[in-house]
Amino acid sequence: MNGATVAVVAIICWAIVSIFRGGHVLGKKDTLKIQRLEAESLKMTEQLNSMNERVAVLEKIVTDEKYNLNKEFENLKK
């Protein structure tokens, strides 16, 4: 075997051992970044769900017959 082959085999073995140990190829900084992104994603999902609920309430108000009737009365007053 030449030097390049030995280096490639060593790198592959290192990667396999790292994966089986649970260390994966990610460093500590990468893990922290992933945790931050997951937390931000959760926060944004909660905000989106809240906004969806608010839009549903607003849709009910706007499509309510009384709302339309009151709006027509307001337009007639002008």
Side-chain angles (χ1 to χ4, degrees):
M1 282 195 218
N2 61 19
T5 306
V6 171
V8 169
V9 171
I11 291 170
I12 292 172
C13 289
W14 168 81
I16 292 171
V17 169
S18 293
I19 290 170
F20 280 108
R21 281 189 184 163
H24 303 291
V25 184
L26 298 175
K28 204 171 204 173
K29 287 182 181 180
D30 294 326
T31 304
L32 292 174
K33 189 181 286 187
I34 289 170
Q35 289 174 345
R36 240 186 359 259
L37 290 172
E38 287 174 344
E40 186 176 342
S41 175
L42 179 62
K43 181 181 175 184
M44 292 176 83
T45 301
E46 290 171 353
Q47 287 178 341
L48 182 60
N49 290 336
S50 174
M51 292 174 117
N52 283 336
E53 291 174 12
R54 293 173 68 186
V55 168
V57 169
L58 291 173
E59 285 175 341
K60 286 180 185 178
I61 292 170
V62 171
T63 57
D64 184 48
E65 289 180 27
K66 290 180 183 178
Y67 176 83
N68 288 332
L69 186 59
N70 287 334
K71 192 171 183 181
E72 287 181 31
F73 284 136
E74 290 294 323
N75 288 338
L76 288 173
K77 288 179 184 177
K78 292 180 183 180

